[in-house]
């Protein structure tokens, strides 16, 4: 099982240990594309600060994020699972998993990123600010920048098992499973049960809990149909829409009664 996650806008501070080693990150087929984004981002943030804030879509109160990006090559690195914070990652709570669940997380979780493309939770990265919606002056829209290298690398990473896609729409632009891989991909929406409306904050929390439940239970469904049964066994209320034709992803609706 491969689980595709969005990153978080907020991030923990960089570590105090060794700095970034691009060649050590998972998915080495993305290294060249990572170097391109990293180089331009550092250069952008090392120049006109107001221009950098405008490109990155940062408010005056987030001016310090520009300085953070200037030091990406020298800042200490930490496991990505410690860098990403926020609602989904609080609910997932990687640090509190037992050893077996942590090993499963290291194998199966893949966090998408405007800067790195995608990283595994044990990959060591510095804290940064660069969303997938950014358009860098030289490279252009990052979603488009990542499409070609992702199309080469991600099908192999997906293997022959289930792909559970929990990304937000901005990060889904970087890679869309196609063909046979799409047929074993499941996307998840979180709906308020009484109204059938998509929820926002609770959407992220529920997705974090779903991933935690699967990791803790040691459940490894091989396809979307098996995922539906696994989630129901874990106590989730799930409605499913199978694809109308081959080569399309499944859609799973997880129903919640509380919104907070």
């Amino acid at each position: 099982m491969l689980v595709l996650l969005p990153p978080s806008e907020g991030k923990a501070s960089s570590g105090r240990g060794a700095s970034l080693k691009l060649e050590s990150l998972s998915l080495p087929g993305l290294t060249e594309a990572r170097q391109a984004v990293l180089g331009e981002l550092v250069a952008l943030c090392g120049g006109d600060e107001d221009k950098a804030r405008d490109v990155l879509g940062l408010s005056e109160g987030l001016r310090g994020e520009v300085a953070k990006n200037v030091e990406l090559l020298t800042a200490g690195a930490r496991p990505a699972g410690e860098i990403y914070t926020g609602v989904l990652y609080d609910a997932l709570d990687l640090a509190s998993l037992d050893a077996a669940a942590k090993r499963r997380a290291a194998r199966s979780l893949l966090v998408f990123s405007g800067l790195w493309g995608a990283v595994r939770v044990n990959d060591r990265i510095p804290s940064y600010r660069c969303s997938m919606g950014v358009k860098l002056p030289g490279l252009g829209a990052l979603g488009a920048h990542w499409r070609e290298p992702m199309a080469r690398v991600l099908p192999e990473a997906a293997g022959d098992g289930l792909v559970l896609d929990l990304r937000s729409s901005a990060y889904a632009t970087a890679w869309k499973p196609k063909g046979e891989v799409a047929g074993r991909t499941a996307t998840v929406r979180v709906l308020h049960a009484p109204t059938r409306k998509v929820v926002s904050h609770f959407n992220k929390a529920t997705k974090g809990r779903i991933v935690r439940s699967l990791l803790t239970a040691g459940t490894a469904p091989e396809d979307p149909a098996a995922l539906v049964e696994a989630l129901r066994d874990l106590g989730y209320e799930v409605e499913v829409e199978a694809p109308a034709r081959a080569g399309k992803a499944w859609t799973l609706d997880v129903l919640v009664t509380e919104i907070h």
Side-chain angles (χ1 to χ4, degrees):
M1 177 175 67
L2 184 68
V3 182
L4 312 181
L5 297 174
S8 58
E9 286 297 320
K11 298 173 182 69
S13 61
S14 295
R16 296 181 179 274
S19 59
L20 171 72
K21 294 181 175 58
L22 270 182
E23 67 278 6
S24 72
L25 299 182
S26 302
L27 309 178
L30 300 179
T31 299
E32 185 176 345
R34 288 168 175 154
Q35 287 173 328
V37 181
L38 181 62
E40 185 168 351
L41 183 62
V42 171
L44 170 71
C45 293
D48 186 318
E49 187 177 274
D50 288 331
K51 177 182 178 181
R53 283 202 302 114
D54 184 59
V55 170
L56 296 176
L58 301 177
S59 66
E60 174 66 30
L62 293 174
R63 185 176 289 271
E65 299 293 282
V66 175
K68 177 191 294 186
N69 284 346
V70 174
E71 300 182 354
L72 284 170
L73 296 173
T74 56
R78 300 170 63 179
E82 297 177 11
I83 289 288
Y84 294 115
T85 59
V87 175
L88 187 154
Y89 292 90
D90 285 346
L92 174 52
D93 196 7
L94 287 167
S96 70
L97 293 174
D98 64 32
K102 285 179 178 177
R103 288 193 294 271
R104 288 189 282 270
R107 291 194 304 267
S108 63
L109 304 188
L110 199 61
V111 184
F112 275 61
S113 162
L115 175 53
W116 315 113
V119 292
R120 297 194 183 275
V121 293
N122 284 356
D123 284 335
R124 299 184 67 87
I125 58 173
S127 186
Y128 68 97
R129 189 71 174 235
C130 184
S131 71
M132 191 66 80
V134 164
K135 294 182 180 179
L136 291 175
L139 292 177
L142 290 179
H145 170 76
W146 286 112
R147 246 169 247 145
E148 188 275 332
M150 290 285 197
R152 287 188 284 103
V153 172
L154 266 293
E156 181 179 354
D160 57 4
L162 170 73
V163 177
L164 175 54
D165 190 352
L166 302 178
R167 297 173 296 169
S168 55
S169 57
Y171 290 89
T173 63
W175 182 59
K176 183 178 180 181
K178 295 182 179 180
E180 183 269 336
V181 178
R184 47 187 168 84
T185 296
T187 62
V188 171
R189 298 187 304 175
V190 180
L191 304 182
H192 184 219
T195 64
R196 290 303 195 273
K197 291 183 178 179
V198 176
V199 298
S200 54
H201 174 95
F202 204 67
N203 166 65
K204 296 177 182 178
T206 300
K207 288 179 177 178
R209 292 181 188 123
I210 286 171
V211 177
R212 182 179 177 86
S213 295
L214 293 170
L215 294 173
T216 301
T219 303
E222 296 182 354
D223 55 44
L227 173 64
V228 172
E229 295 307 312
L231 291 177
R232 288 172 175 164
D233 288 344
L234 289 168
Y236 294 93
E237 184 177 356
V238 182
E239 295 178 349
V240 60
E241 181 180 337
R245 60 183 186 275
K248 297 292 182 180
W250 292 52
T251 300
L252 275 58
D253 289 337
V254 176
L255 306 182
V256 298
T257 56
E258 298 178 65
I259 303 179
H260 58 73

